[in-house]
Amino acid sequence: MAMRKSLASIIPVTSLLLAGCAAVGPDYVPPVPSASRDGARSAFVEGWAPAFKSDPLPDRWWQLYANPRLDALVEEALGANTDLRVAAANLERSRAIVAEARARAGVQTGLDAQPSVGEASNLGIGSPAGVHTTFDMGASISYEVDVVGRIRRGIEAVEADAGAQAAAYDLAVITVVADVVDAYSGACAAGAQIAVANRSIALQQQSLALLERGRRAGVGTPLDIARSATLLAQLRAAVPRLESSRRAALYRLAVLLGREPKDFPPELVTCSTVPMIRQALPVGDGAALLRRRPDIREAERQLAAATARIGVATADLYPTISLGASLGSTSRSLDSLVDSAAFRFSAGPLISWSFPNRRVARTRIEQANATSRAALATFDGRVLGALRETETALATYARDIEENVRLTTARDESRKALVLQQRLARGGLASGLETLDAQRTLAQAEAALAASETTIATDRIRLFLALGGGWSDPAVRGAGGNAN
């Protein structure tokens, strides 16, 4: 009966408190980037070039290469890369923190049972002196009333932290994909340059042999031979550097795949064709970019967490109210634990308010506000940085494509010149040295074109990385995108 009366007295208090529940601190409103304000689509300044089209960037941009071997390597890396394993573990940890915060917001229960031994002094108050054994068993239940929203703001903060970690995971994914494509392209590009260098070496060897025969016949000078031999040595000296670049790309690719460096894909040792995309690249627009870039999503979630923690700090100005009840039994013998005389209970609210720390609480609110302003500035900086990176990557790629077109024309003209020179030589109207010189010019044009294609391959990967290529909305993709 007494316990029923106590609970009856708690209910009106609880109802009053819950009726006035409101979360302190500012409610978070996501910042709206200027590129997507009022639903406007913002085209890129450099997106006008023929090398681009405004179609949305596909989620799996690397499939634009139409290279099944590259697709397989990317999928292998996504399943075995060590950086992704670390990012996935961090994401799991952040989600576990969210689950813990939500669990702490519910009803807490406890169960306790223990014996104790003690000796009472004889003070003449009815309790005989001597050693006594006491048995105690009890159960408790408690619930913290979230009067000012401290718990809710705390959950908001850790949920936003988990969202930021999910965005960090997405960033790790697109970085690994870009690194795999870059390493694959680098190995094949080095192979292409080695092939061109070997052709140039062979032509220069022929040129040097002709000069030496001419000198023995009394034609030519030692200076011509020395110059030719110097050029041959220079051409040969370039090959070890290219071989080193190819090996470095292969070792890098192996590690990206979660393998030892020596376990690189062996077929890439002979690859001499740079993977290319022979079409205009889909780049979308600025609004889509800002939604897709994971580093921007990460900064936005960090801003949300910082805003929620203003409310957590503000809640320290208010009392903490907990409702609880306990039921138990205390006796000097196990048999008496179930006797009605041994039962005990308690119920009631507990109000705690830290004094005199209001000044400390207000300084913490100031700290939280400053952290939120810094997070907003970080978000704005990420947006501007993303736009700058993308515009720069677009401009670089477009200009390098223009250069590649001109170098292709130069290579084609060099081929025509060689064909004409060979015809003249067959008719006795040109010397063998002149023909070799035309061959050497063609080799140089091919080398310049191979270097240009290597540059374009790197530019393309940097562009896709700047565009946030890999996934679009994480809520749609599912994996790693929603921490709730």
Side-chain angles (χ1 to χ4, degrees):
M1 180 66 68
M3 184 175 184
R4 188 179 300 116
K5 291 180 178 179
S6 298
L7 292 174
S9 66
I10 295 173
I11 293 174
V13 177
T14 305
S15 301
L16 180 61
L17 292 172
L18 292 176
C21 276
V24 295
D27 292 326
Y28 178 68
V29 178
V32 180
S34 59
S36 59
R37 188 169 296 152
D38 299 326
R41 295 176 61 85
S42 176
F44 294 115
V45 175
E46 298 289 342
W48 56 268
F52 311 118
K53 56 184 178 180
S54 60
D55 294 355
L57 180 68
D59 285 349
R60 296 176 174 266
W61 58 265
W62 57 92
Q63 293 182 349
L64 293 172
Y65 286 97
N67 187 325
R69 179 55 181 156
L70 178 59
D71 294 343
L73 292 174
V74 169
E75 293 302 322
E76 181 180 349
L78 291 177
N81 183 265
T82 54
D83 290 339
L84 290 185
R85 288 163 54 194
V86 171
N90 289 336
L91 180 56
E92 290 176 7
R93 177 179 178 274
S94 67
R95 288 174 171 171
I97 291 174
V98 173
E100 177 188 3
R102 289 175 175 171
R104 288 183 179 276
V107 175
Q108 308 297 315
T109 59
L111 183 64
D112 181 61
Q114 63 179 359
S116 61
V117 179
E119 181 177 1
S121 61
N122 188 358
L123 300 177
I125 56 176
S127 179
V131 177
H132 300 281
T133 301
T134 303
F135 298 92
D136 185 85
M137 180 176 63
S140 63
I141 184 171
S142 64
Y143 175 76
E144 181 178 339
V145 181
D146 196 17
V147 180
V148 294
R150 182 182 65 85
I151 296 175
R152 277 170 289 168
R153 293 303 193 198
I155 292 175
E156 287 177 14
V158 295
E159 285 179 341
D161 287 338
Q165 193 62 58
Y169 175 84
D170 288 344
L171 180 59
V173 168
I174 68 170
T175 301
V176 167
V177 170
D179 287 345
V180 168
V181 178
D182 186 48
Y184 181 93
S185 301
C188 294
Q193 290 179 293
I194 290 171
V196 171
N198 286 334
R199 288 197 295 270
S200 297
I201 289 172
L203 290 173
Q204 190 59 33
Q205 286 174 330
Q206 295 178 29
S207 177
L208 180 59
L210 283 175
L211 286 173
E212 289 175 341
R213 285 200 298 270
R215 182 186 176 190
R216 288 193 294 270
V219 180
T221 65
L223 180 60
D224 291 335
I225 295 175
R227 287 175 175 173
S228 182
T230 298
L231 180 57
L232 177 60
Q234 290 173 342
L235 292 173
R236 285 173 171 168
V239 175
R241 176 181 55 81
L242 295 173
E243 289 283 4
S244 176
S245 297
R246 178 163 62 182
R247 283 286 170 174
L250 292 173
Y251 295 149
R252 179 186 174 204
L253 179 60
V255 172
L256 287 167
L257 298 176
R259 309 179 187 177
E260 293 185 25
K262 63 182 179 61
D263 295 328
F264 56 80
E267 65 274 12
L268 291 185
V269 174
T270 58
C271 179
S272 59
T273 302
V274 181
M276 301 291 287
I277 300 177
R278 305 292 182 180
Q279 64 182 47
L281 300 184
V283 297
D285 57 29
L289 167 72
L290 300 184
R291 289 193 304 268
R292 188 172 51 242
R293 287 263 304 214
D295 57 336
I296 294 178
R297 295 201 310 269
E298 181 183 18
E300 186 273 331
R301 289 289 81 202
Q302 289 171 342
L303 174 59
T307 303
R309 288 191 169 95
I310 297 175
V312 174
T314 305
D316 289 341
L317 294 171
Y318 298 87
T320 299
I321 299 178
S322 297
L323 304 178
S326 64
L327 179 67
S329 178
T330 303
S331 175
R332 290 187 176 180
S333 66
L334 288 174
D335 295 338
S336 302
L337 277 175
V338 295
D339 292 344
S340 59
F343 279 106
R344 55 179 170 76
F345 72 89
S346 66
L350 173 64
I351 302 178
S352 63
W353 198 341
S354 298
F355 288 103
N357 290 331
R358 290 176 61 84
R359 183 176 180 182
V360 173
R362 293 193 182 281
T363 60
R364 288 174 180 169
I365 294 172
E366 293 175 3
Q367 295 171 27
N369 275 294
T371 301
S372 178
R373 290 194 296 272
L376 178 58
T378 299
F379 173 81
D380 290 339
R382 292 276 177 86
V383 170
L384 295 175
L387 294 173
R388 176 190 58 79
E389 289 175 7
T390 303
E391 294 289 2
T392 301
L394 289 167
T396 301
Y397 182 77
R399 303 307 178 269
D400 286 343
I401 285 289
E402 291 177 3
E403 180 187 35
N404 183 266
V405 170
R406 295 187 177 96
L407 289 174
T408 300
T409 301
R411 190 271 315 273
D412 294 343
E413 293 299 325
S414 296
R415 283 179 176 175
K416 294 177 182 178
L418 176 59
V419 171
L420 179 60
Q421 194 69 40
Q422 289 172 335
R423 289 176 181 173
L424 293 174
R426 285 193 296 268
L429 301 177
S431 66
L433 283 177
E434 289 174 327
T435 302
L436 282 175
D437 185 63
Q439 290 175 332
R440 192 161 51 245
T441 300
L442 174 59
Q444 292 172 348
E446 288 178 338
L449 183 59
S452 172
E453 291 181 345
T454 300
T455 300
I456 289 174
T458 302
D459 290 346
R460 187 183 299 110
I461 296 165
R462 289 177 179 171
L463 175 57
F464 283 131
L465 192 57
L467 290 169
W471 328 107
S472 53
D473 187 348
V476 175
R477 180 172 61 84
N482 189 354
N484 296 333

